[in-house]
Amino acid sequence: DTEVTQTPKHLVMGMTNKKSLKCEQHMGHRAMYWYKQKAKKPPELMFVYSYEKLSINESVPSRFSPECPNSSLLNLHLHALQPEDSALYLCASSQVSGQSSYEQYFGPGTRLTVT
Amino acid sequence: DQQVKQNSPSLSVQEGRISILNCDYTNSMFDYFLWYKKYPAEGPTFLISISSIKDKNEDGRFTVFLNKSAKHLSLHIVPSQPGDSAVYFCAASGTGRRALTFGSGTRLQVQP
């Protein structure tokens, strides 16, 4: 099973709202990622969690707040977003073993629209 | 500065022929390379990968070639099928950095 699930599939929120994106995997992966993808652009890394600890924050604005409650779950809390934050938000997971690299498996994404 | 480049935004091939997608990289620290296929409004699907200690990896119709001296990799799809029509992203990662740097993608259209 190489499935990563994300909810919701679509989200429309106002600039004053607070919402959360959720991601779940049951592959036993201990690294999880958030990427942001704008139309006709490649995915861009936002955050990396390794063994439930934040290991990379790509200078993401504080209106995006990640959380990794356990090894299977990854959340992205959203608050006071701007219209330019509208994008496809992708979650991914991968194995972790020393400094080795492994393929990442992506979820279907959450299409976020900020009005 | 784009560290992973896919210089062809689009490619069109006939069904049954070979599709060759190219990718160049600039960062010498990259040691693991991957190809992903993506349909609109879906997440990228992992296709095939190659470690820098190899120069070729094959999986069914998909073969990835790596030329480290030229910092170039390519994905060969043989034979191409209409269902292969999608955007293909090249991605790379390096030792100690568990994150992918993606190229800008190549849209492949396989004509029946």
Side-chain angles (χ1 to χ4, degrees):
Chain A
D1 180 13
T2 56
E3 189 178 28
V4 176
T5 59
Q6 289 186 245
T7 55
K9 195 171 176 63
H10 300 277
L11 178 63
V12 179
M13 61 185 290
M15 288 189 284
T16 58
N17 290 160
K18 283 186 182 180
K19 295 286 185 184
S20 296
L21 309 185
K22 297 185 183 302
C23 174
E24 189 167 7
Q25 57 89 14
H26 294 288
M27 293 178 276
H29 291 166
R30 300 305 296 274
M32 296 187 77
Y33 312 78
W34 281 115
Y35 289 84
K36 173 182 177 180
Q37 185 177 25
K38 302 280 274 184
K40 300 190 188 305
K41 296 285 188 183
E44 292 182 354
L45 181 71
M46 299 175 73
F47 302 103
V48 181
Y49 274 83
S50 182
Y51 294 99
E52 296 90 70
K53 286 187 173 26
L54 184 64
S55 61
I56 297 178
N57 175 342
E58 291 285 274
S59 302
V60 179
S62 59
R63 56 186 185 269
F64 295 91
S65 176
E67 179 196 19
C68 191
N70 60 54
S71 59
S72 300
L73 291 174
L74 185 67
N75 298 322
L76 186 63
H77 302 298
L78 314 172
H79 174 54
L81 294 194
Q82 304 296 311
E84 59 264 29
D85 296 322
S86 299
L88 182 68
Y89 288 83
L90 294 162
C91 173
S93 70
S94 73
Q95 296 180 59
V96 174
S97 178
Q99 298 298 315
S100 299
S101 296
Y102 296 92
E103 58 270 18
Q104 295 179 20
Y105 293 92
F106 285 81
T110 293
R111 172 69 60 189
L112 174 68
T113 302
V114 181
T115 62
Chain B
D1 176 34
Q2 266 192 295
Q3 298 185 62
V4 179
K5 299 177 188 178
Q6 293 177 257
N7 292 318
S8 297
S10 63
L11 174 67
S12 183
V13 299
Q14 288 295 120
E15 182 178 4
R17 307 294 288 266
I18 184 171
S19 295
I20 300 177
L21 296 99
N22 293 304
C23 178
D24 298 293
Y25 62 97
T26 58
N27 190 335
S28 301
M29 300 300 291
F30 288 146
D31 61 4
Y32 190 63
F33 304 90
L34 309 92
W35 285 94
Y36 284 85
K37 174 180 177 180
K38 190 176 185 302
Y39 296 112
E42 292 185 10
T45 301
F46 169 71
L47 279 177
I48 192 168
S49 62
I50 187 165
S51 164
S52 59
I53 61 173
K54 295 186 175 182
D55 55 20
K56 177 182 174 181
N57 189 25
E58 193 171 354
D59 184 0
R61 297 187 298 115
F62 302 93
T63 303
V64 56
F65 296 91
L66 176 62
N67 182 334
K68 280 183 303 216
S69 60
K71 293 192 175 70
H72 176 83
L73 63 154
S74 61
L75 174 68
H76 292 210
I77 306 174
V78 183
S80 301
Q81 300 172 354
D84 296 328
S85 298
V87 177
Y88 288 77
F89 287 100
C90 169
S93 68
T95 301
R97 179 175 161 86
R98 291 191 191 90
L100 296 178
T101 300
F102 283 86
S104 53
T106 296
R107 180 175 301 279
L108 173 66
Q109 185 80 28
V110 179
Q111 308 284 351

